[in-house]
Amino acid sequence: KMQTELAALLCTTNDSLVHSLLSAPDCGVSGCGVSVPVEGRTAPRNEPLRERLRLAVDAALPTRCPSGGEPVCSRSARERKLHEFEAAAGAELRSARAALQAAQQAARHEAAAPGEAAGQPSLKRVRKDRDRAAEAERLERERPPPLPRVEVALQTEGLPSWYEATVVGRAEGRCKVQLLLRDKDDALIIEGRDREEWVDDASVRPLPPRDEQWMPKPGELCEFLYLDGWWPVKVKRSHTTKSEGEKWEVVYEAHNAKHRATRDKLRPLRPSP
């Protein structure tokens, strides 16, 4: 009981109180070598706590001064007993805090998801998952079908570069197309060009199939994917590193622009329209 009381006491007091108790002057009896509180000293704000701590130590060491004064003890014995009390109180406090944290965590878990304590999802979570699945199905049904795609040649430096597009209109021998991004059905905007433009039928072709067996060779002409378009380039050499794997150095000869490309950015050259 005394250790429990001291544990609560140490939670509210501080080190200065303990030091002030340990540094009390001698009782004044010749040869006693003990320490007692000085009467008339200004009491600190937490005097009741200090008095309880002193009484706990006096009860543990009921030694009386030879002059018959108050129950006191030597400074060394007093300090040793206080250290023992502090160690015991600290162990009890740590155990109590751990139990309190476990209880608080269990209470929060039970309040947030009462059904999950028995291994079952809470009703609120079941409803939320069901609503999310229904919303995903609705969006999938309302999603418009993908646009039909073709490739259109845009002449640059006398060389055609191929872009994916969709046909939005037709006239005799001509097509009105809108360029598209490769990964979604959004318009591809190129500076200096209209959002939709007319091109000859000869500049439009179906999307070519992907050739998984083809591998670039030095000196070969092929097409390089750059800024959402396929550009004609010449393969110079290949490079292999542990960090990047195999890459090919290619050059766009119209501007002598060199690039390094992975296999998925290259494809065999198809005849120009």
Side-chain angles (χ1 to χ4, degrees):
K1 179 179 179 181
M2 181 173 61
Q3 290 181 353
T4 304
E5 182 181 5
L6 183 59
L9 178 63
L10 291 177
C11 289
T12 55
T13 187
N14 51 38
D15 291 341
S16 62
L17 177 59
V18 177
H19 290 314
S20 65
L21 187 62
L22 294 177
S23 59
D26 292 343
C27 67
V29 178
S30 176
C32 181
V34 297
S35 300
V36 295
V38 177
E39 295 183 2
R41 177 183 295 175
T42 303
R45 287 182 299 175
N46 54 355
E47 180 63 25
L49 298 178
R50 180 186 178 194
E51 182 65 19
R52 292 170 64 187
L53 180 59
R54 185 184 67 78
L55 292 175
V57 175
D58 289 343
L61 297 173
T63 304
R64 290 187 173 274
C65 177
S67 64
E70 292 294 325
V72 293
C73 64
S74 68
R75 175 168 180 160
S76 60
R78 193 186 201 84
E79 185 173 358
R80 183 172 58 256
K81 183 56 65 176
L82 281 174
H83 288 171
E84 292 175 0
F85 282 178
E86 288 176 356
E92 289 191 12
L93 286 175
R94 286 192 294 271
S95 178
R97 289 192 184 109
L100 178 61
Q101 291 176 356
Q104 290 174 342
Q105 185 176 3
R108 287 194 298 268
H109 181 73
E110 183 177 357
E116 293 181 359
Q120 298 295 331
S122 65
L123 181 60
K124 181 178 180 181
R125 176 167 296 184
V126 170
R127 290 175 177 173
K128 186 175 181 180
D129 292 343
R130 183 184 60 193
D131 294 343
R132 186 181 295 125
E135 179 67 13
E137 291 179 1
R138 185 187 66 81
L139 293 177
E140 186 66 25
R141 289 194 303 269
E142 296 178 356
R143 179 181 301 174
L147 295 173
R149 293 188 174 228
V150 296
E151 277 194 344
V152 59
L154 303 181
Q155 297 291 332
T156 304
E157 305 291 341
L159 300 173
S161 52
W162 294 91
Y163 291 85
E164 294 187 14
T166 186
V167 177
V168 297
R170 289 187 179 275
E172 186 176 355
R174 305 189 71 195
C175 294
K176 189 176 186 180
V177 298
Q178 180 184 30
L179 302 182
L180 299 175
L181 296 173
R182 297 184 68 253
D183 56 349
K184 53 185 176 180
D185 287 344
D186 289 346
L188 172 63
I189 306 301
I190 299 180
E191 186 177 358
R193 304 191 75 98
D194 295 332
R195 186 183 183 92
E196 298 178 353
E197 56 184 294
W198 288 93
V199 296
D200 296 335
D201 285 345
S203 299
V204 179
R205 69 183 184 187
L207 292 178
R210 182 174 178 82
D211 188 355
E212 300 291 347
Q213 304 299 323
W214 175 80
M215 292 295 291
K217 299 179 180 62
E220 181 181 10
L221 296 177
C222 64
E223 291 178 339
F224 168 51
L225 180 60
Y226 181 69
L227 298 179
D228 278 278
W230 292 95
W231 298 74
V233 294
K234 186 175 183 179
V235 180
K236 302 295 290 184
R237 62 183 64 87
S238 65
H239 300 270
T240 303
T241 62
K242 292 183 179 180
S243 59
E244 298 181 345
E246 188 173 16
K247 286 189 175 183
W248 284 264
E249 181 180 330
V250 297
V251 57
Y252 180 61
E253 294 182 322
H255 291 282
N256 196 29
K258 296 180 180 180
H259 301 270
R260 285 191 177 184
T262 55
R263 168 64 183 83
D264 62 319
K265 303 290 185 182
L266 299 173
R267 71 181 186 183
L269 183 67
R270 298 184 67 189
S272 300

